[in-house]
Amino acid sequence: MKKLVLFGLFIAAIYSCKKPPLIDLGQKPIGQYLYEGDSMTDTVQGYRFNWPAQIVKLSKSAFLTPQVNVATTAETVQMMDGEYATQVHPHAPNPNQNYFFFLLAGTNDAYFGHSPAQIYSDLKTEWKQARGDGFKVVAFCLPRSTMLIRDTTNVKVNKLIIADLSQFDYLIRTDTLLPDPTDLTLWQTDGIHPNAAGSIKIAKEVLNVIAVKN
């Protein structure tokens, strides 16, 4: 019997070495998550280390949280608005269900020459639809960029977002969280996408903001 106990402890020790415990932020995400956006959020065609992937890694309880990711690389907010009925609405929560809708998007619209007013209007359409379906809306400021056309427009859109916080339930200030897209400790060399370290910062901020308000 003693040998069996020792053998069991040996196996447990090996298993714990192979799979170290996940980081526990001391915060417990409550409910379900639905992610919408472009390559910064898309974990299939985009980057598997980006912020939604980091949310799963950073919190033990996230593994118990149903998560849906409909983000698609290269999409604009206009395209997302058109897809809402088929991609997001079918996941509309039941009454009193905590279901968070995350939308980090708009920088592709800036690249294609959409005006700040148009991008903001399209974002509001998406937020309104999600709120109407009962989601708790988590909005994001557009990230900075080394590409002038994106950065100039994104800054203007962010001023519009910040001016009216009533349009959503939570706001993640991606622009101030990662203010310098030339900082290669947090950004990729393309000056558009955060790297793994930058994605971890975003994920931690998301969990912090939601935890504080819940």
Side-chain angles (χ1 to χ4, degrees):
M1 182 66 181
K2 186 176 181 181
K3 288 183 179 180
L4 287 174
V5 171
L6 290 173
F7 179 73
L9 292 173
F10 175 71
I11 294 299
I14 292 175
Y15 183 80
S16 64
C17 289
K18 287 184 177 180
K19 293 192 174 184
L22 295 166
I23 298 170
D24 188 355
L25 295 179
Q27 297 148 354
K28 189 173 183 180
I30 302 170
Q32 297 176 243
Y33 296 170
L34 191 148
Y35 305 98
E36 175 63 291
D38 48 40
S39 57
M40 293 187 190
T41 305
D42 179 358
T43 53
V44 178
Q45 299 179 66
Y47 297 94
R48 297 184 181 229
F49 56 75
N50 62 19
W51 68 274
Q54 300 300 341
I55 281 186
V56 174
K57 292 180 181 179
L58 284 168
S59 176
K60 293 177 181 178
S61 57
F63 279 106
L64 305 177
T65 302
Q67 302 190 46
V68 176
N69 193 327
V70 299
T72 304
T73 295
E75 282 202 336
T76 63
V77 185
Q78 278 190 338
M79 295 167 70
M80 296 170 204
D81 286 347
E83 297 166 348
Y84 183 91
T86 57
Q87 292 192 347
V88 180
H89 177 69
H91 301 282
N94 298 319
N96 302 318
Q97 181 182 7
N98 255 358
Y99 206 146
F100 296 92
F101 172 78
F102 300 92
L103 179 64
L104 172 54
T107 193
N108 288 334
D109 302 65
Y111 177 76
F112 288 116
H114 300 182
S115 70
Q118 182 61 58
I119 297 170
Y120 180 60
S121 176
D122 292 336
L123 286 169
K124 286 199 298 182
T125 296
E126 196 78 356
W127 299 332
K128 185 177 181 179
Q129 290 183 110
R131 268 188 158 179
D133 271 344
F135 289 98
K136 291 187 175 180
V137 173
V138 183
F140 289 72
C141 282
L142 277 61
R144 302 299 302 268
S145 174
T146 55
M147 293 182 66
L148 184 60
I149 186 173
R150 291 180 189 262
D151 195 57
T152 302
T153 301
N154 289 1
V155 169
K156 292 179 180 178
V157 174
N158 289 341
K159 289 182 179 179
L160 295 171
I161 292 173
I162 297 164
D164 187 0
L165 303 180
S166 69
Q167 299 292 323
F168 38 78
D169 301 289
Y170 308 85
L171 178 63
I172 307 300
R173 291 294 306 272
T174 320
D175 56 334
T176 57
L177 194 64
L178 304 174
D180 182 7
T182 65
D183 179 2
L184 297 183
T185 65
L186 298 173
W187 291 80
Q188 297 186 57
T189 55
D190 62 8
I192 300 172
H193 299 91
N195 60 20
S199 298
I200 289 172
K201 282 198 73 172
I202 295 174
K204 284 183 176 180
E205 180 67 5
V206 167
L207 293 174
N208 284 334
V209 168
I210 290 176
V212 166
K213 286 198 144 189
N214 283 280

